Amino acid sequence: MSEPKAEGQQNTTKQMLILFSVNQNNNKFYYAELCEDQDEVLVRYGRVGNNGVEHRYKGGLKKFESLLRAKRNKGYKDAMIEETVGESGVEVQHNVIETALNEINYKDDLSKELVKTISSKNVHKITGSTSIMFDSKDGLFKTPLGVIQRTGVEQAINLLAELEKVLPKYLELRDKKPNIDTEVKKGKKRDAGGKVLRALKNPSDTLEFIESKMFDLNEQYFVIIPNKVKNARDIEHLLFSQKAIDEQKATCDALLETLDLIDDLKKKNLENKNLEKSDNTKPPTFSVEIEHVDDQAVFALINQLFESTKNSSHAYYSADAHILKIYKIKLESQHQAFEERKEKKNVNLLWHGTRTQNLLSIMSKGLLLPKLSPGQKAGAMFGDGLYFANQSSKSLNYCDGGLWTQNSNEKNIIYMFLASVNMGNSFVPSGPVSSPPPKGYDSYWAKAGKSGVMNDEIIVFSADQIRLDYILEIERKYS
C-alpha cells in the first residue's frame, strides 16, 4: 500500500480485497480508496462480476486503514491487481488494436479486413469463454476487478499445476464413491434430495483428503484470479475437471499477454514523449506488411502443400479443414534478421499453428522464444524453442479448436502460419530432451518412431532462423 502523495499530486492510496470461501459460498470484493482531499474514503463492494455498492466515509488515512483491517480480519485477502500507470506516471492511453489497424501496412482492403476480423474474434473468444472482459478504452483484457499482477498470474499457474497433479487421483476415487451430492454446506454432506448423510456407506479418507485439498487450491486460485463463479460450493462451477483447468490456463495466458502489452505500451509512451520533445519520428509498434494472395498459381502451390501434408491419423482435427484465403506477411524485424543470418542451410517451408489471441502479438514482435513462468507447462518435449511441423494437420492441433477447445460442432475460422525455417544441421534426438542441440547442430528434428513422438517436430532455438511468410485463413467444421 502506497503512502498519500503531497498536495497537488494525484493520490494512489487504494486497495482491492477478495474473499472466496467454499463453505460460506463467498466470492466478494472490497475496494477502498483514499480520495485526493485526504479526508474522504471511497468504498465499493459486492460479488465478483457485479458493479457493487458504493459508500463514502470521512476520516482520512486512519479510516482507510481501519476499514481494510476490519475486512482482513474477516478473511479478505489482498488482490494482486495491476495498475496501468508505471513508475513514470505515464498512463496507457493507446488501444493496441487501434494501433495495429493504423500502423500495419495493408496492400489491399482484404488484408485490413483480416486484422479487423482477428481483433474482433480475439475479443469474443476470450470474453465469451472466460471471465475476462475487454476494455475498449485501452484495448486490454482484464478480470472483473482489473489486470492481475505478473507475480499473481505466476502463482495462479503454479496452483493450476498443483490441481492437475491431484485431479487424476480425485477422479479415480470419486468414480468409486457412492453417487451423492458433494456440495459443502456447514461441513455436512447431503444427497440429491437435500437430506443430510450422517455417514457414507463406503467412506474414503483418501478421497476426503484430496477433495479438501482441491477445495483449498480452488480458494487460493480464485482469490488471485477473480472469476464470476455462480456458486462457490458447487463443484460444477469450480476447477474439478481438466476442461475447467484448461479454460483457466487460457485465462492466465491472456493475462500474461495483457501484462506484456501494458509493459510495451508504457515503454512506447515514454519513447514517444521523448521523441515529441526532440521532434523525431515515432517508430511504429507494428512494423508489418500484409498482402492478400490473389495469384492463383501461388494459392494452388500452398494449398497442395497443405492438403498433401495432412496425416490421416489427425482426421478428427483436419478432415474438414480447407484454406479460404492466403495472406503474404512481412515482419520487418524478423525478416531482416533472417536475411542477415550468415549461414543458410536446409531451409524448409514448415507449419506453425497458434491461437487467434496470439496473432496480434506475433504481428507486433514476431515469434519469440518462450519465457516460461514458474510452474507453467508448455508441453515442450525438446526444450524451450520454436516448434514447427512438416504436417499441416499436426499444426492444426495448436489452432483454436484443436487441443484447446474440442467437442464443438460449429464451423469456425482459424489461422495458421507457413514459415521459412533455417534448420541448418539438424540433430535427431532419441527421446525428449530439455537442453539445446549439441555443439555443431542448429536444430532438433524429432522424428516419428525414432524420437519418442508420433509425428515429426522441428525445433529451432534462435528467432533469426525463421521467417513468417504466409498466414492461412482456414475454415473447419469440428466434429
Side-chain angles (χ1 to χ4, degrees), residues 7 13 20 31 41 56 68 71 75 77 79 95 176 187 202 206 244 285 318 323 337 381 440 445 453 458 470 474:
E7 185 176 354
T13 306
F20 190 94
Y31 173 79
V41 179
R56 292 178 182 269
L68 292 177
K71 289 298 178 183
K77 306 293 184 183
N95 183 321
K176 297 178 181 178
N202 298 311
T206 304
T285 303
S318 63
I323 299 174
M381 292 180 64
W445 186 350
V453 293
I458 293 87
Y470 298 97
I474 300 167

Side-chain angles (χ1 to χ4, degrees), residues 191-208:
D191 63 18
K195 183 179 178 180
V196 175
L197 295 172
R198 298 184 181 279
L200 296 176
K201 294 180 180 179
N202 298 311
S204 170
D205 292 337
T206 304
L207 177 58
E208 295 293 327

Side-chain angles (χ1 to χ4, degrees), residues 364-467:
S364 172
K365 305 174 185 176
L367 283 177
L368 302 178
L369 291 169
K371 296 180 292 183
L372 297 186
S373 303
Q376 188 175 5
K377 297 189 297 183
M381 292 180 64
F382 302 96
D384 298 336
L386 296 170
Y387 283 64
F388 296 86
N390 52 18
Q391 297 176 329
S392 59
S393 51
K394 168 69 174 177
S395 291
L396 281 172
N397 287 347
Y398 296 91
C399 300
D400 295 312
L403 299 176
W404 311 110
T405 51
Q406 300 177 13
N407 302 324
S408 171
N409 292 317
E410 298 179 358
K411 286 186 177 180
N412 214 333
I413 305 299
I414 56 177
Y415 302 91
M416 190 163 70
F417 288 102
L418 183 60
S420 294
V421 181
N422 184 3
M423 296 171 59
N425 293 322
S426 290
F427 182 85
V428 180
S430 59
V433 293
S434 58
S435 57
K439 186 176 180 180
Y441 292 91
D442 307 293
S443 63
Y444 280 130
W445 186 350
K447 295 189 176 182
K450 294 183 179 180
S451 305
V453 293
M454 297 178 64
N455 307 280
D456 287 12
E457 296 185 38
I458 293 87
I459 307 96
V460 297
F461 295 85
S462 178
D464 64 357
Q465 288 180 258
I466 65 169
R467 184 186 67 206

Side-chain angles (χ1 to χ4, degrees), residues 55-153:
H55 285 294
R56 292 178 182 269
Y57 299 90
K58 296 290 185 179
L61 182 60
K62 287 186 178 180
K63 184 65 175 179
F64 173 82
E65 293 179 338
S66 173
L67 290 168
L68 292 177
R69 185 164 52 250
K71 289 298 178 183
R72 289 182 178 120
N73 288 339
K74 291 182 178 180
Y76 280 77
K77 306 293 184 183
D78 289 21
M80 298 182 178
I81 303 298
E82 180 81 11
E83 295 185 50
T84 55
V85 178
E87 295 178 358
S88 62
V90 179
E91 187 173 359
V92 175
Q93 298 175 339
H94 299 292
N95 183 321
V96 69
I97 292 175
E98 290 299 322
T99 301
L101 291 173
N102 292 331
E103 291 186 350
I104 289 176
N105 182 8
Y106 308 101
K107 293 297 185 179
D108 47 70
D109 291 339
L110 282 175
S111 297
K112 189 166 188 177
E113 194 62 34
L114 168 69
V115 177
K116 287 183 179 179
T117 301
I118 288 172
S119 301
S120 61
K121 284 172 66 68
N122 190 18
V123 171
H124 174 73
K125 185 167 289 292
I126 295 177
T127 59
S129 60
T130 71
S131 64
I132 292 181
M133 301 176 293
F134 177 71
D135 189 335
S136 60
K137 294 180 180 178
D138 55 22
L140 300 175
F141 294 98
K142 303 175 181 178
T143 71
L145 301 180
V147 179
I148 308 301
Q149 293 175 4
R150 188 177 299 276
T151 53
V153 180

Side-chain angles (χ1 to χ4, degrees), residues 35-46:
C35 299
E36 291 185 14
D37 63 5
Q38 302 296 299
D39 181 41
E40 191 172 58
V41 179
L42 169 67
V43 167
R44 183 165 52 87
Y45 58 90

